[in-house]
Amino acid sequence: DVEFLSGISVRTISRLENGNIDTPYIDTLIALSKVYNEDIIELYLINAEKSMILYKSLLKQLDFFIGYLVKDKIINLMKIIDFLKSDINSKNNYYNVEIIRVFLNYLIQDDINYLVYSFKDINRRDLSSNNLLKLGYSPMELRILINICNEYEEFMFVNREDILSMCISRDSDVLTTMLAYNSIINSLYIEEKYSKALLYINQAIIYTEKNKAYYSLANLYYSKFICEFELNNPSSIESLYKSKLFSEHLGNKRLMKVITEKSNSILYQ
């Protein structure tokens, strides 16, 4: 009997079998290894590593063009989330997994109110206008803030441009910084602040080239095209050409279609 041979209580063995112990003691694993004549420590570490690999794979798929994915593909990503939430090896990473779940649900539902409510609800800290720009954020949390700013001029009584400038200054990772640049550029365009938007666009292009984030150049040059067009700048046609060139290079047919249709409606309105 396992209890007799290992010296581990029936209750502990039962809890291990049912996944109710997240991080078993090393002595417990060694004792069970001897009973089953298996290297349980190695098996445990291998399974834990598989969960981490799956988690990193999920993050990689949340790329610059996640918004262009069809809903079926996003639903498939939710299946990875469900697995990670049920996997005992991922429980220490529960909050980060839950943040991604909220973000993917938002993309499926296309409901900004859901995103705002859920972000406030699961956040581990008390968000307020006094601390919103001072708190530390993970890249995924910053992405949620960026998406909120895409829809609202302010959040927690803090101006959108201030939040997005904070996201850019944090430079948590290249992808998140580029998303923040795109958001602030789009908001300035909507506010008809074309010259100011161009300043951010040129900064973003320099940042992109420095960090080799070439995937974002199609969007940036399209933004440059529409701002220059509004300012009657003849360079707008060259910017549009570069936008189409980079989208073609990416092989993103959906992005190419969006750029072509929108630019045609501007040029031939």
Side-chain angles (χ1 to χ4, degrees):
D1 147 302
V2 176
E3 179 186 18
F4 174 76
L5 293 173
S6 66
I8 301 170
S9 69
V10 173
R11 179 175 179 273
T12 300
I13 292 169
S14 176
R15 292 183 66 208
L16 282 168
E17 289 175 342
N18 293 320
N20 294 324
I21 299 178
D22 295 347
T23 52
Y25 290 113
I26 194 74
D27 290 345
T28 302
L29 293 176
I30 291 171
L32 290 172
S33 296
K34 290 176 180 178
V35 173
Y36 291 107
N37 196 27
E38 291 279 358
D39 193 339
I40 292 180
I41 298 173
E42 183 180 348
L43 291 173
Y44 178 80
L45 292 174
I46 287 172
N47 287 329
E49 184 153 341
K50 282 181 180 176
S51 296
M52 184 53 65
I53 290 171
L54 193 59
Y55 174 68
K56 288 180 178 178
S57 173
L58 175 64
L59 288 179
K60 191 174 182 180
Q61 293 181 73
L62 302 176
D63 64 10
F64 191 81
F65 301 104
I66 184 70
Y68 291 96
L69 283 182
V70 294
K71 287 188 178 180
D72 286 348
K73 290 186 177 181
I74 298 174
I75 291 170
N76 285 336
L77 294 180
M78 288 293 287
K79 292 177 182 177
I80 298 177
I81 291 290
D82 292 338
F83 170 79
L84 289 172
K85 286 183 69 176
S86 65
D87 180 28
I88 61 170
N89 297 310
S90 301
K91 287 187 177 178
N92 290 335
N93 212 21
Y94 178 84
Y95 177 74
N96 290 329
V97 172
E98 185 65 8
I99 280 287
I100 296 173
R101 184 193 66 79
V102 166
F103 181 68
L104 291 177
N105 261 335
Y106 157 68
L107 293 178
I108 293 169
Q109 297 179 26
D110 193 23
D111 183 355
I112 192 63
N113 292 321
Y114 160 82
L115 185 64
V116 171
Y117 173 80
S118 299
F119 184 58
K120 289 179 179 178
D121 184 52
I122 69 168
N123 205 284
R124 296 167 295 183
R125 301 151 300 187
D126 292 326
L127 295 174
S128 71
S129 57
N130 293 325
N131 65 16
L132 187 67
L133 300 178
K134 300 173 184 176
L135 292 171
Y137 298 101
S138 69
M140 202 68 237
E141 288 174 315
L142 289 174
R143 287 186 70 170
I144 288 178
L145 283 173
I146 291 165
N147 276 271
I148 291 172
C149 288
N150 286 341
E151 300 293 333
Y152 294 124
E153 293 183 5
E154 62 177 37
F155 175 59
M156 305 294 294
F157 303 105
V158 179
N159 180 271
R160 166 168 57 193
E161 190 172 345
D162 291 336
I163 297 172
L164 293 171
S165 295
M166 177 271 290
C167 294
I168 291 170
S169 66
R170 296 289 176 91
D171 197 12
S172 62
D173 61 28
V174 175
L175 173 60
T176 306
T177 302
M178 288 312 310
L179 290 168
Y181 266 121
N182 272 275
S183 182
I184 201 167
I185 289 164
N186 290 337
S187 65
L188 289 170
Y189 175 79
I190 291 169
E191 294 167 12
E192 299 184 359
K193 298 176 181 178
Y194 309 122
S195 296
K196 191 172 184 179
L198 280 171
L199 292 175
Y200 277 106
I201 291 168
N202 291 328
Q203 286 178 25
I205 289 172
I206 292 170
Y207 179 87
T208 294
E209 292 172 347
K210 178 182 175 183
N211 291 279
K212 299 181 180 179
Y214 303 122
Y215 54 79
S216 62
L217 286 173
N219 281 63
L220 285 173
Y221 275 109
Y222 178 77
S223 296
K224 191 170 186 181
F225 154 69
I226 57 177
C227 288
E228 288 173 337
F229 182 83
E230 294 293 344
L231 294 170
N232 296 314
N233 187 328
S235 298
S236 62
I237 300 302
E238 181 184 352
S239 296
L240 177 59
Y241 169 76
K242 289 181 178 179
S243 175
K244 290 182 176 180
L245 187 68
F246 281 112
S247 63
E248 186 177 355
H249 177 71
L250 286 168
N252 190 324
K253 293 181 180 179
R254 190 173 179 189
L255 176 62
M256 182 68 172
K257 182 181 178 182
V258 169
I259 289 173
T260 300
E261 289 178 352
K262 286 189 174 182
S263 60
N264 284 344
S265 67
I266 291 171
L267 291 170
Y268 308 115
Q269 60 183 352

